[in-house]
Amino acid sequence: MSRIFSYVSIDIWRMMAILVPFITVPAALPFTAGGMENSAPEPKMPSWTRLRYADTTVLGSLSTEVRITKSDPQAMQAAVPSDLPEMPLPAAPEDLLTLGVSAYGHSIVKSYTVGAVIWFNPYNGATIQRDKLTRGGKASKRIYRYTPHGVHRLRIEPEDRNEEKEDAGNWSRVKQTYFPFDLEKAGCELVIDPAVLFYLISVAGLHPDSAPLRFCAFTNDELYWLSVKPQELRQRSVNYIRRTSTIEETVEGTIEVLPLEIRATPVRHKKKSKEFEFLELRGNIRIFLDMKTGIPVQISGERRVVGKMDIKLDKVVVH
């Protein structure tokens, strides 16, 4: 089995390192997801290319980094070994965007690291593929490929603790699963990975009177109805580093933010449905957007064992 995975021995962390951290991405075309404005031919891309968040409480800590870069179908296809069971590749434009998400979590129970790369269509926001590597707890590498009728998942795990220490490309337990769904019956135009919300909310031009954004999202091996509802403006204190191609400065003070309430409902109600998560957070999830820059400056929610967390922006790289 090691031979099979020599083709994809680069794990998610190395893939993250390959992503050019400060690249300028092209302007996206209109979205068709519910609630997204479709009047401008080329909506603006986010003002940021990299975001870093952190929070520490008595019971634990969480740090997360998000990067947006340019990619193509060839790079996405290379993540799936050609000699494994078929993973259909849906139609995709030549110009794809990727979100790279890395996280480190620590609690009194365990520590873990998660790295993910999400390929999505800049013309409508639809997710095409997601690669995720988890270490700590139950280690696994999972490749999700999204199609109009369902999601294919390739799960790769180590056979034992000794194998877990090796590169993920050498792990030998392999299982492929298919999760079918009926988008028309569910009332979905397309399906996103929840992390793509970073991109969507940053380019939507939201304000307190905006209609809620509505999407269908696939996570935890389930399809969810997802809504993003703007609330009344609030004041929030910030303290982060802002970096451009020429300067690095500290942004500190009180700013006006737009809270966005994230609500998720499983399309299929199951007895063992998992609770929706966004960046390892669950429960009452809110994202706070800087009204002036459109940058998400805080994400709030709950973590198991740790409880309520407010992960705040501590560094941003902008165009």
Side-chain angles (χ1 to χ4, degrees):
M1 190 62 67
S2 296
R3 178 193 62 80
I4 292 178
F5 291 107
S6 62
Y7 180 63
V8 284
S9 60
I10 299 177
D11 63 25
I12 295 293
W13 289 113
R14 294 181 186 176
M15 291 175 68
M16 289 289 292
I18 290 172
L19 296 176
V20 181
F22 311 130
I23 192 168
T24 300
V25 294
L29 295 180
F31 294 102
T32 57
M36 296 294 291
E37 296 295 335
N38 196 27
S39 57
E42 293 188 358
K44 293 181 179 179
M45 285 294 294
S47 59
W48 55 268
T49 60
R50 179 180 174 186
L51 304 166
R52 190 177 71 191
Y53 301 88
D55 186 30
T56 299
T57 70
V58 175
L59 297 178
S61 63
L62 178 64
S63 59
T64 301
E65 184 171 303
V66 180
R67 299 184 183 186
I68 188 168
T69 62
K70 179 181 177 182
S71 189
D72 56 58
Q74 288 72 35
M76 180 178 63
Q77 179 66 16
V80 181
S82 59
D83 47 358
L84 283 182
E86 182 181 3
M87 294 273 283
L89 180 65
E94 286 299 316
D95 297 323
L96 294 178
L97 296 180
T98 63
L99 277 177
V101 182
S102 59
Y104 171 75
H106 171 75
S107 71
I108 58 175
V109 176
K110 68 175 182 178
S111 297
Y112 64 89
T113 57
V114 177
V117 179
I118 300 124
W119 282 265
F120 67 98
N121 186 336
Y123 296 90
N124 59 16
T127 298
I128 300 170
Q129 182 168 306
R130 181 180 195 237
D131 298 2
K132 179 181 179 181
L133 177 67
T134 303
R135 289 187 180 274
K138 190 173 183 179
S140 68
K141 179 175 181 179
R142 303 186 184 196
I143 300 172
Y144 296 85
R145 179 152 295 168
Y146 294 62
T147 75
H149 305 292
V151 173
H152 294 260
R153 184 192 71 190
L154 184 66
R155 185 173 66 190
I156 307 164
E157 298 177 340
E159 185 66 34
D160 51 36
R161 290 292 185 182
N162 289 331
E163 192 173 85
E164 183 178 343
K165 299 175 184 178
E166 299 183 22
D167 188 284
N170 294 324
W171 293 349
S172 57
R173 295 177 60 185
V174 181
K175 182 179 180 180
Q176 186 173 3
T177 308
Y178 179 62
F179 302 93
F181 45 62
D182 188 331
L183 292 185
E184 183 176 356
K185 185 176 180 180
C188 306
E189 294 184 18
L190 49 86
V191 180
I192 69 169
D193 180 278
V196 178
L197 284 179
F198 273 108
Y199 175 74
L200 298 174
I201 64 175
S202 296
V203 301
L206 296 173
H207 51 80
D209 296 325
S210 294
L213 303 183
R214 303 188 188 279
F215 306 97
C216 286
F218 185 84
T219 186
N220 292 333
D221 300 334
E222 290 190 52
L223 189 65
Y224 291 81
W225 287 306
L226 194 64
S227 73
V228 181
K229 184 179 180 181
Q231 300 181 315
E232 294 183 0
L233 295 176
R234 299 183 186 178
Q235 301 290 314
R236 274 289 186 275
S237 60
V238 296
N239 185 351
Y240 62 86
I241 297 171
R242 177 180 178 273
R243 179 179 173 183
T244 70
S245 59
T246 57
I247 64 169
E248 185 171 295
E249 61 183 358
T250 298
V251 178
E252 185 176 6
T254 300
I255 64 171
E256 193 171 49
V257 299
L258 177 67
L260 302 174
E261 181 184 46
I262 311 299
R263 290 189 177 182
T265 305
V267 173
R268 291 182 180 179
H269 290 279
K270 303 178 183 178
K271 291 182 179 179
K272 296 183 179 180
S273 288
K274 297 180 181 178
E275 189 172 3
F276 178 84
E277 291 187 351
F278 180 74
L279 294 186
E280 311 297 320
L281 298 176
R282 55 177 58 190
N284 186 19
I285 302 172
R286 281 178 169 76
I287 304 174
F288 297 85
L289 279 183
D290 182 341
M291 281 300 293
K292 185 177 180 180
T293 65
I295 295 173
V297 295
Q298 180 179 316
I299 302 107
S300 298
E302 297 179 359
R303 274 189 65 206
R304 283 175 289 188
V305 180
V306 176
K308 181 172 170 43
M309 298 197 78
D310 297 315
I311 57 173
K312 298 183 178 181
L313 185 71
D314 71 4
K315 187 172 184 178
V316 60
V317 178
V318 299
H319 296 297

